[in-house]
Amino acid sequence: MRVVGVIAEYNPFHLGHAHHLAQARCLSGADAVVAIMSSVFTQRGDAALLSPIDRARMALSAGADAVFALPAAWAVRDAEHFALGGVAIAAGLGCDALSFGTEVHELPRMQQAAQLLEAPDAAFSTAVQTRMQSGLPYPSAISAALEAALPGAGVLLESPNSTLGICYLRAMLHLGTSMAVVPVQRIGGYHDTRLQGGLPSATALRGAILRGNWPTVRAAMPQEAYRVLRAAAAQGRIHQPDALDTALLYRLRTMSAADYAALPDVSEGIEHRLAAAAGVAHSREALLQCAKTRRYPYARLSRLATHALLGLTDAFLRAEELPRAAWLLGFRRDNRALLTHLKEHATLPILGKAADADRSAPWFTAEARAYDLWALGAGLPAGLALTQGVTVV
């Protein structure tokens, strides 16, 4: 059995995701598609709109054969670590190929860029430092140095999916995996705020959902995925974007200087700016808008705030470099042979339920805490990680 893996968030699942799954299956010649999906918090630090089980059910109804979780310890990270966690699970499950969407469909150039970024030579490192000393933020300095070293490659880091694609390739080099690579041309803008012709963006879809514009939402989603969404909304299982604002501000306002210093990705005084903003902000959005600068971008601050909320420290994340298990969220009953295949070929333990995990493991206790915070924001009882089970479609 040939298996292709995809790494996603499905926040929520839409027609663009269904297109990618279909293309991944077709272009890879795979018999099954496995999705590795952010669990309760996303790469940018936001709480997911729907629970992992609801989002897994959407994906299973529209092209995925099995869905596994990417825990918060890897999901709420910069692109490099997000990719490393996802690729490690895909490789640990024995996937034969990895597929990702990209705005720039130039795999050889992407692979060249990945090799240089993963193992930079002295000249490249000097070029990055020189550009940073001239006042460029780190991402811009990397892009400019990459363009100078590989003419035409700088544009690869100007689009979010292409950037993430390069990070997937870097993770494959780092892990020494031999998975085939299946890029799929992305159609539509990643951050489009309006649902219009073509495939939608998740940003625009979330906005329409929160406004209650159901006819527009329905047109942007596969039929069964839309049914899952409406059922979740009817039962109050939607996590509103501001639901944890008070909890976050309380946490930030009561943290000590040592607590701030212990957070991941702290440098150049970013923790002082976040702490100062927390003292005056009345919401999460106001906090991030107040703290962001050219040097401290919104997404980095958003992740930092969520790390504080979840109690994730730099020391913890360094100790948990790679996922320790593959947590199954759901599968299709008409492809049970896939689970047998994965169990025979996986090098990671496959968890069918929380009871299968070592509940004392640091990654699991952190994930259970993330689930409980998400449940709090969604108005659900604590213990969601222990009770959600596996969905079968």
Side-chain angles (χ1 to χ4, degrees):
M1 177 179 284
R2 183 170 174 79
V3 181
V4 61
V6 301
I7 303 166
E9 297 199 308
Y10 300 150
N11 186 36
F13 193 95
H14 56 63
L15 290 173
H17 297 133
H19 170 77
H20 176 222
L21 291 179
Q23 288 294 299
R25 186 187 299 270
C26 176
L27 296 175
S28 67
D31 303 294
V33 180
V34 168
I36 297 100
M37 185 189 77
S38 299
S39 58
V40 286
F41 286 87
T42 71
Q43 196 260 334
R44 283 176 59 86
D46 300 323
L49 198 66
L50 297 164
S51 73
I53 288 298
D54 283 332
R55 286 154 47 231
R57 192 174 294 119
M58 290 177 169
L60 292 168
S61 70
D65 294 287
V67 179
F68 289 83
L70 180 63
W74 296 274
V76 189
R77 300 294 299 277
D78 56 32
E80 292 175 30
H81 291 91
F82 176 91
L84 185 61
V87 171
I89 292 176
L93 287 169
C95 290
D96 302 285
L98 181 75
S99 179
F100 54 82
T102 174
E103 294 89 351
V104 183
H105 201 286
E106 297 183 21
L107 183 57
R109 192 177 297 275
M110 294 178 76
Q111 290 172 322
Q112 285 182 309
Q115 289 171 348
L116 181 57
L117 291 170
E118 184 61 21
D121 55 28
F124 183 78
S125 298
T126 299
V128 173
Q129 289 299 319
T130 299
R131 285 162 172 79
M132 289 180 66
Q133 290 168 3
S134 71
L136 280 181
Y138 180 71
S140 299
I142 287 283
S143 183
L146 187 62
E147 178 64 27
L150 298 171
V155 68
L156 297 173
L157 299 182
E158 295 176 3
S159 303
N161 285 278
S162 296
T163 299
L164 195 51
I166 289 176
C167 289
Y168 292 141
L169 296 173
R170 288 185 61 182
M172 293 174 71
L173 290 170
H174 181 81
L175 296 170
T177 176
S178 60
M179 287 186 292
V181 180
V182 185
V184 174
Q185 181 72 50
R186 180 178 173 84
I187 302 172
Y190 185 80
H191 292 305
D192 286 347
T193 57
R194 291 190 304 165
L195 291 174
Q196 43 199 350
L199 299 180
S201 78
T203 301
L205 183 55
R206 286 193 298 274
I209 291 169
L210 294 171
R211 291 191 301 271
N213 189 350
W214 296 116
T216 302
V217 170
R218 184 172 189 169
M221 300 179 71
Q223 185 176 18
E224 188 55 37
Y226 177 74
R227 288 196 186 108
V228 173
L229 170 64
R230 288 309 302 266
Q235 296 170 23
R237 299 199 311 271
I238 298 288
H239 192 293
Q240 297 294 326
D242 59 355
L244 292 174
D245 285 14
T246 301
L248 171 63
L249 293 173
Y250 171 78
R251 169 66 178 152
L252 292 174
R253 291 184 182 189
T254 56
M255 285 171 58
S256 67
D259 292 331
Y260 274 99
L263 290 173
D265 195 27
V266 163
S267 63
E268 301 177 306
I270 189 172
E271 70 275 25
H272 304 308
R273 190 164 185 87
L274 185 64
V280 297
H282 58 83
S283 68
R284 187 179 196 276
E285 182 62 21
L287 167 81
L288 299 177
Q289 292 296 341
C290 177
K292 75 172 185 177
T293 66
R294 188 182 184 197
R295 175 175 289 184
Y296 308 137
Y298 184 102
R300 182 182 174 192
L301 285 159
S302 179
R303 283 191 293 271
L304 195 63
T306 300
H307 288 151
L309 180 65
L310 299 180
L312 299 180
T313 66
D314 182 68
F316 169 80
L317 293 182
R318 287 182 183 276
E320 298 292 323
E321 181 188 8
L322 298 175
R324 310 298 179 94
W327 193 342
L328 180 66
L329 295 174
F331 64 94
R332 290 191 61 87
R333 60 168 49 90
D334 59 7
N335 201 348
R336 286 181 177 272
L338 170 62
L339 293 186
T340 301
H341 174 85
L342 293 178
K343 289 174 182 177
E344 291 174 351
H345 293 81
T347 56
L348 281 176
I350 294 177
L351 308 179
K353 54 185 180 301
D356 296 336
D358 175 3
R359 296 192 192 181
S360 66
W363 78 266
F364 184 84
T365 58
E367 185 67 355
R369 186 165 62 246
Y371 264 85
D372 279 348
L373 280 163
W374 186 92
L376 176 66
L380 298 174
L384 182 61
L386 304 177
T387 60
Q388 70 174 359
V390 175
T391 187
V392 182
V393 173

